[in-house]
Each structure stands twice: as C-alpha cells, then as structure tokens.
Amino acid sequence: MFKVIIKDTNEEVSRAAFNVMKEVLDSKPNPVLGLATGSSPVGLYKEMIKDHEETGRSYKDIITFNLDEYVGIPRDHEQSYYTFMHENLFNYIDCPEENIHVPEGNTDDHEKACVDYENALKQHVVDIQVLGIGSDGHIAFNEPGCPFDSETHLMELTEQTRSDNARFFDGDINQVPTLSITQGLGSIMRAKKILLIATGANKADAVWGMLKGEKTTDCPASILQDHADVTVILDRAAASRIA
Ligand code: GLP
C-alpha cells in the first residue's frame, strides 16, 4: 500500500524522508537499514548526519545493507557505491565498518558474490529500505524485464541508465560500467517498510508507472504495488503525472 507525500522543495522532501527514517531509528537501538545510492537519498543522509551530530543519536548498533554496486571498478574508485556511501553517510556517523554491507563488484567470482550477499541479507529482516527510482522505472539496478522474484544477481545496465549516470563520470557514458551486482526485486520486497524518494521531471513517467500503471516487469518499481508499507516522497515535478 502506498502513502504518497508531495513537497515543494528538495529540503522539504529530505526532511519528510528523515521523519519516516526517524520513526524506525526511534523504535529500537539496532535497526537494519537498507540503503540506496544516487542523488535522491543524499538529502536524507544529510539529515541523518545532522541528527547524529545534534542529538547524539548513536548508529553503533545499526546494520546496513546497500542495494547495489558497479561491477569492474574497485571499491576505492571515486564512483563506486562503496565510496559514495562513505562520503555521503558512513564517514560522518558512528556505524562500525563491520556492520556495513555493500555488494562486492570487483571480484573474480561474481556468482559467488551474489550468493554470499543474498545469504548475508537473509540473516536479517530489513526494517526500512530506502529507494530511489530510475527514469526507466528501475529500483536498485533491476532494469526492465527483471523477474519480480529475483534475488541478488548480475544486471547489465541499459543505455538509458548509463546515460543518466554519465553525469557522475565526467558526462562520458563510455566510462560508466556496463554491469552491476544488485539485490533483486524479491530481496527488496522482503523489507518491512519501503521509503522511496523521487524528485525532478525526468522521474514523472516512472513514478506514474509505479503508482498507477499496470504491474509489469516493464516497470520494475510497479512490484511495490504488492508491498504492504511503502511511503513515496516526491517533489511536484516528479508528481506531475499523478497529482
Ligand atoms: C542508480 C541506482 C539506483 C537509483 C537510481 C536513481 O541507477 N542504482 O539505486 O535509485 O540510480 O538515481 P538518482 O537518485 O541519482 O536519480
């Protein structure tokens, strides 16, 4: 079931997202957080850092699982999702490194990396899963056509996703990896609660497909229609086709 919140500014979107996150953080000392990369959750992470600094909230007992990672670039690459998460959140809170999980995209045995990650994830129940959405309706890196019951797997990135993400690679699509390791749609659906953030006009079609379209693997995010607890926070541009 979707709860949709529409805000005017990015700051308001981030604060509304933090309010949802805060309920989970307040509910127990050791929640399991499913985290996402991309520009959409950055404001939420800033609010979490501010909360940590201003209220002294400790993250030392939380466990985190990220959604995805590029294949073929090292963890210390400036655009790896491992680096992204450290630069945008982990370096500024007191979550111990051993509690942080990001899929390993730089290995000789990708199949084993997928199985290991899914097994580690299955040891826990994710209390809240943060999501962005791709302009083609992908969540994590589950591109159109991906089965709804998929678990952690390798995914070839579409031209559209590589072109969207080229802005992080000097605007050069050729530098964007072609392959990723990603939690599957089935993995994501196991989370107790989903918090999806989308801003900007280029997300309007995907947001419509997720909320109002047919449930189809052509729009991977439409699987969320089957989830019991999804909060979607949008700005007016992303909400332009539904409001
Ligand atoms: C990437 C990530 C997704 C993210 C999407 C949207 O492809 N794998 O998890 O949701 O981009 O990114 P942004 O929030 O920057 O628009």
Side-chain angles (χ1 to χ4, degrees):
M1 208 195 310
F2 291 112
K3 178 179 178 193
V4 180
I5 299 171
I6 302 171
K7 295 290 181 186
D8 287 321
T9 65
N10 279 343
E11 289 69 31
E12 286 169 359
V13 165
S14 302
R15 275 199 297 274
F18 178 68
N19 287 340
V20 178
M21 172 63 75
K22 184 175 179 301
E23 269 182 41
V24 174
L25 295 173
D26 287 346
S27 70
K28 50 170 140 168
N30 57 347
V32 180
L33 309 184
L35 299 176
T37 52
S39 34
S40 305
V42 168
L44 164 65
Y45 298 154
K46 286 203 172 95
E47 292 291 327
M48 290 166 72
I49 294 166
K50 196 167 111 198
D51 173 62
H52 170 65
E53 289 172 351
E54 290 177 0
T55 74
R57 183 195 300 280
S58 176
Y59 288 75
K60 73 179 175 39
D61 294 324
I62 64 158
I63 293 174
T64 72
F65 280 89
N66 260 80
L67 288 168
D68 48 10
E69 180 57 284
Y70 290 116
V71 164
I73 57 175
R75 281 200 147 170
D76 62 2
H77 187 285
E78 58 178 356
Q79 291 307 336
S80 78
Y81 283 170
Y82 180 88
T83 297
F84 177 98
M85 287 308 301
H86 283 76
E87 288 183 346
N88 286 285
L89 181 64
F90 298 143
N91 288 350
Y92 304 99
I93 58 175
D94 59 343
C95 178
E97 185 65 27
E98 63 267 25
N99 291 10
I100 292 170
H101 303 82
V102 180
E104 179 53 78
N106 195 32
T107 155
D108 292 338
D109 192 343
H110 298 308
E111 293 305 330
K112 182 174 181 305
C114 292
V115 172
D116 287 352
Y117 199 72
E118 188 70 26
N119 285 342
L121 183 62
K122 278 185 173 160
Q123 305 298 311
H124 302 272
V125 176
V126 171
D127 290 294
I128 181 168
Q129 176 64 59
V130 177
L131 293 178
I133 185 169
S135 63
D136 61 1
H138 74 236
I139 49 177
F141 266 137
N142 293 285
E143 296 283 27
C146 199
F148 283 154
D149 61 357
S150 51
E151 297 195 325
T152 302
H153 61 108
L154 288 178
M155 187 82 228
E156 196 154 331
L157 302 180
T158 62
E159 188 83 6
Q160 187 175 340
T161 295
R162 293 180 66 232
S163 147
D164 286 348
N165 290 0
R167 68 189 193 281
F168 298 114
F169 291 83
D170 306 325
D172 178 7
I173 191 172
N174 296 315
Q175 289 184 40
V176 184
T178 55
L179 203 60
S180 65
I181 171 170
T182 179
Q183 284 188 36
L185 295 169
S187 328
I188 293 169
M189 287 293 282
R190 294 198 304 265
K192 275 197 220 162
K193 187 183 203 48
I194 305 266
L195 168 60
L196 187 142
I197 304 164
T199 57
N202 68 325
K203 302 292 174 70
D205 287 343
V207 165
W208 180 87
M210 165 177 70
L211 296 173
K212 309 276 187 192
E214 185 196 338
K215 196 179 80 183
T216 161
T217 56
D218 293 345
C219 177
S222 65
I223 183 63
L224 299 176
Q225 293 172 13
D226 282 351
H227 195 285
D229 184 358
V230 186
T231 302
V232 178
I233 305 184
L234 307 170
D235 70 354
R236 298 217 173 264
S240 59
R241 279 198 66 192
I242 58 141

